[in-house]
Amino acid sequence: MLVDNALQVRLATKTTKSGGQQVLRKDHDKWNLMMEIPFEDVQTTSILGFDQSNQGIYMLDSRNRNTSALVHLDIADKSITTIASSEHVDISNVLIHPRTHKPFAYALNLIRPEWHAIDKEFTHIIAQLNSQLSGGSEVLAQSLDNRYWTVYTDNSDSSPIYKVFDRESGKLSKLFVTNPTLDNLGLAKMHGVVIPSRDNMKLVSYLTLPLAADPEQDGTPTKPVPLVMLVHGGPWARDSFGYNSTVQWLANRG
């Protein structure tokens, strides 16, 4: 069940026999089919919430697309307006204002997440946030007045850290470290690389080099080292930038 901003039950979802999903709309006391999500799009299509008027919904939608886009769907006439999209990668994270219920920024995670403003009012704010991020990141929560954002950060060669971003000051401050035992262990840094395949696809990959082979940790080895390739399960998953205990164990052993 999905409720609108007035806490009224408006939509519901139902799994189909093929593994897809139906979205049902409540019309008075009757449920009617509003749209269907095929099996191949279930993991990349989702409803984010209702707009301020409760007459439409914001969605991540990959139907009839190669990547998932941020869209607005009018419940009455089912018309869809694309707000943001990328040809290269799904939109991975969307920030919605707690008061206006309107999306104002989104993240694209090719090598690592980078934030983009939708609303011009937030252009400078998002630029301030991006300037203080150098690895993986995700905005997990926002205060009701949208001043403070809880941000999860992961630089790959240290423990992930929860931080608080203050939109008024533009500062990103440490809240707490998730695993302090990793501090000062001499972990190796992850580097994003895009490898062209023989069939002209671009394979987003991550390279971690032992400290002895890459003292500068710039992603360029000073000498050849053995390679271990970890291939993720697919096609519904992908690797992402951040701390990985298996990778660090292998790099530590050369």
Side-chain angles (χ1 to χ4, degrees):
M1 297 290 185
L2 293 102
V3 299
D4 63 18
N5 300 315
L7 301 182
Q8 298 298 309
V9 176
R10 299 283 301 284
L11 302 174
T13 58
K14 178 183 178 181
T15 302
T16 63
K17 291 181 179 179
S18 64
Q21 194 174 74
Q22 290 181 338
V23 179
L24 308 174
R25 181 184 66 200
K26 188 177 183 182
D27 297 319
H28 302 292
D29 294 327
K30 186 177 180 181
W31 289 96
N32 294 312
L33 178 65
M34 187 176 77
M35 63 179 173
E36 189 157 340
I37 303 170
F39 166 75
E40 59 268 22
D41 291 303
V42 164
Q43 297 196 39
T44 47
T45 299
S46 60
I47 298 173
L48 302 176
F50 282 79
D51 60 22
Q52 190 171 31
S53 67
N54 289 326
Q55 301 304 307
I57 54 175
Y58 295 108
M59 296 180 58
L60 291 178
D61 192 355
S62 65
R63 294 173 300 164
N64 302 312
R65 299 173 181 269
N66 287 328
T67 57
S68 184
L70 173 61
V71 305
H72 177 270
L73 183 145
D74 186 285
I75 293 175
D77 62 17
K78 302 179 186 179
S79 61
I80 295 177
T81 303
T82 300
I83 300 170
S85 64
S86 168
E87 295 180 0
H88 306 293
V89 66
D90 295 333
I91 289 181
S92 58
N93 203 188
V94 179
L95 297 184
I96 296 177
H97 197 290
R99 292 289 192 187
T100 66
H101 306 286
K102 184 178 181 180
F104 62 87
Y106 62 92
L108 296 176
N109 185 7
L110 186 61
I111 299 297
R112 63 179 183 84
E114 293 187 4
W115 295 88
H116 302 264
I118 300 170
D119 191 326
K120 291 183 179 179
E121 175 189 350
F122 288 88
T123 301
H124 179 62
I125 295 168
I126 294 301
Q128 288 179 314
L129 177 63
N130 278 328
S131 69
Q132 299 172 81
L133 298 172
S134 57
S137 67
E138 185 177 357
V139 177
L140 301 175
Q142 300 148 255
S143 60
L144 193 57
D145 62 0
N146 204 30
R147 175 176 174 176
Y148 299 105
W149 305 347
T150 303
V151 185
Y152 176 86
T153 65
D154 188 344
N155 284 329
S156 77
D157 57 350
S158 60
S159 171
I161 301 173
Y162 282 85
K163 298 182 179 182
V164 174
F165 179 69
D166 182 348
R167 327 174 8 203
E168 291 193 4
S169 68
K171 293 183 178 179
L172 186 63
S173 306
K174 182 187 294 185
L175 189 60
F176 65 89
V177 178
T178 61
N179 190 355
T181 58
L182 295 177
D183 291 344
N184 304 315
L185 288 185
L187 302 179
K189 190 172 185 61
M190 178 177 283
H191 299 274
V193 292
V194 179
I195 304 172
S197 67
R198 287 176 294 181
D199 56 353
N200 297 318
M201 298 296 289
K202 295 180 179 179
L203 308 179
V204 177
S205 309
Y206 297 94
L207 173 67
T208 302
L209 291 166
L211 296 178
D214 182 15
E216 301 297 326
Q217 284 293 281
D218 59 2
T220 303
T222 57
K223 59 181 180 181
V225 289
L227 173 69
V228 177
M229 180 174 288
L230 302 176
V231 182
H232 69 74
W236 304 111
R238 58 157 289 180
D239 290 331
S240 58
F241 190 98
Y243 171 78
N244 183 303
S245 58
T246 302
V247 168
Q248 292 296 337
W249 178 78
L250 290 167
N252 179 264
R253 281 148 181 79

